[in-house]
Amino acid sequence: MTAAQQPAAPSPRPAGTRRPDPRPPAPGGVLWTISGDVRALLMLPAAFTMQVAHPAIGAGVDEHSVFRTDPWGRGERSLRSVQLWVYGGEQAAEEGRRVRRLHKEIQGVDTRGRRYHSLDPACYAWVHATGFPIYLYAGRYLLRRFTPAQERQLYREWLQVGRILGLHDRDMPQTIEEYWPYYRRMLAEEIEPTKVARELVATDVPLPRPTGGPLPVRLLLPLFWPALRAAFLRFRAFVTVGYMPPDARAAIGLEWTAAQERRLRRFSTAVRLLVPLLPERLRYLPIARRARARWRAGAR
């Protein structure tokens, strides 16, 4: 190729300009369809537990998070953040920057005595990476089994979420073929039953009662909270372990019996059949529901 035939080098960005914001997954895609469905609420505990089973992430959450003192507020904020990554439009990239700012000062020593920083790609990429296998595995129970083409599309869309979170392509496996060896290596070499991971599947830990809701609920909840707390912790442990891929369960040291599997299948079948019958205002989470309405209005 002669010099005249060679493509021109891209023009450098002017000094002081910022790289264009990454875009969230396109409306109508796989992630757009499943991420805002109320059934995603049943998947999130498994993903979070896999995240904190990483020694550095578990140490960071143990030392810096309010998940013990304000579990309901933290859960609500985390859910809103996840929804904005997918449905936030122009807000998605700003939400990603906000998440990185929150984690900027989180550092310390992990459970193996190694220095960590929460934005180190080795840690931060695992937080992102846990979403993909949970969508695939739990989706078989609660949604449907994805086709190979849908799995690839879901992974491409999940990479877009990673970019919104500030991850570089070099820090994320770029194809499914690259992802699974990375995933297996992380389970074999890094993942362990950390203190926080064990707490998230325990049924005898303290749990503050919710403080919001209508006045009658706030008045009656203190009376019924001991029984509700016990039932909630049992249910949380059940769906957390049940919707976690078996190889991740084994890496964390979580037990799962044949009887529990039968219960999970019965429960999942009921949810899978019931949710599609609900009106959209009940089937989709608020941020997703509003985004879907805007998308339909713009397509008319």
Side-chain angles (χ1 to χ4, degrees):
M1 180 180 290
T2 68
Q5 292 173 315
Q6 291 176 353
S11 301
R13 294 193 309 275
T17 61
R18 194 175 67 191
R19 193 182 297 272
D21 285 340
R23 300 296 300 169
V30 178
L31 195 56
W32 177 273
T33 302
I34 65 177
S35 183
D37 190 299
V38 293
R39 288 170 284 190
L41 294 174
L42 296 170
M43 306 180 193
L44 292 177
F48 184 55
T49 302
M50 286 175 62
Q51 291 167 14
V52 299
H54 186 290
I57 300 167
V61 170
D62 183 31
E63 296 167 5
H64 300 278
S65 175
V66 296
F67 84 99
R68 294 186 183 96
T69 57
D70 184 25
W72 307 103
R74 186 192 186 282
E76 183 178 354
R77 293 187 294 273
S78 296
L79 179 61
R80 181 180 184 276
S81 188
V82 171
Q83 293 290 288
L84 286 175
W85 303 340
V86 178
Y87 300 102
E90 294 181 356
Q91 289 182 271
E94 176 53 38
E95 178 62 18
R97 288 190 288 270
R98 187 190 71 85
V99 170
R100 290 183 69 86
R101 288 194 298 269
L102 285 177
H103 291 81
K104 189 175 180 180
E105 304 301 326
I106 297 178
Q107 56 187 307
V109 177
D110 73 10
T111 59
R112 300 181 185 179
R114 303 172 299 190
R115 297 291 307 177
Y116 75 86
H117 189 288
S118 64
L119 294 180
D120 182 333
C123 306
Y124 199 52
W126 177 246
V127 173
H128 166 258
T130 57
F132 180 65
I134 293 297
Y135 277 130
L136 290 186
Y137 185 74
R140 297 172 185 173
Y141 290 85
L142 295 166
L143 300 162
R144 62 185 182 277
R145 184 179 289 273
F146 298 114
T147 67
Q150 289 171 329
E151 287 187 13
R152 291 182 180 279
Q153 181 179 349
L154 175 61
Y155 191 72
R156 289 194 300 270
E157 293 172 350
W158 198 238
L159 286 177
Q160 290 177 255
V161 171
R163 296 177 189 118
I164 286 168
L165 289 173
L167 286 164
H168 298 288
D169 281 355
R170 64 176 179 268
D171 299 322
M172 301 180 289
Q174 290 298 290
T175 65
I176 289 181
E177 288 78 12
E178 294 175 3
Y179 176 82
W180 291 117
Y182 159 79
Y183 170 78
R184 288 189 289 269
R185 178 178 62 79
M186 292 296 292
L187 294 185
E189 299 178 6
E190 290 290 341
I191 301 312
E192 64 183 32
T194 62
K195 176 182 178 182
V196 178
R198 293 194 303 270
E199 283 186 46
L200 292 178
V201 295
T203 57
D204 58 352
V205 293
L207 182 68
R209 68 175 183 268
T211 56
L215 179 60
V217 172
R218 297 200 304 271
L219 292 175
L220 293 174
L221 192 57
L223 299 175
F224 297 101
W225 182 240
L228 291 175
R229 170 190 159 278
F232 175 81
L233 289 174
R234 288 194 299 270
F235 179 73
R236 184 179 72 174
F238 177 66
V239 298
T240 298
V241 183
Y243 292 132
M244 186 181 296
D247 49 2
R249 284 183 209 144
I252 303 174
L254 301 175
E255 295 182 359
W256 188 250
T257 67
Q260 288 174 309
E261 179 65 20
R262 289 192 293 271
R263 285 172 51 210
L264 182 73
R265 289 180 181 274
R266 290 194 298 269
F267 171 75
S268 301
T269 298
V271 172
R272 189 174 64 248
L273 295 176
L274 174 63
V275 170
L277 302 178
L278 298 175
E280 183 156 320
R281 63 186 176 82
L282 298 178
R283 180 178 174 182
Y284 284 94
L285 298 167
I287 290 176
R289 188 172 64 246
R290 292 192 293 269
R292 289 169 62 86
R294 290 194 299 269
W295 177 49
R296 286 196 301 267
R300 292 186 186 128

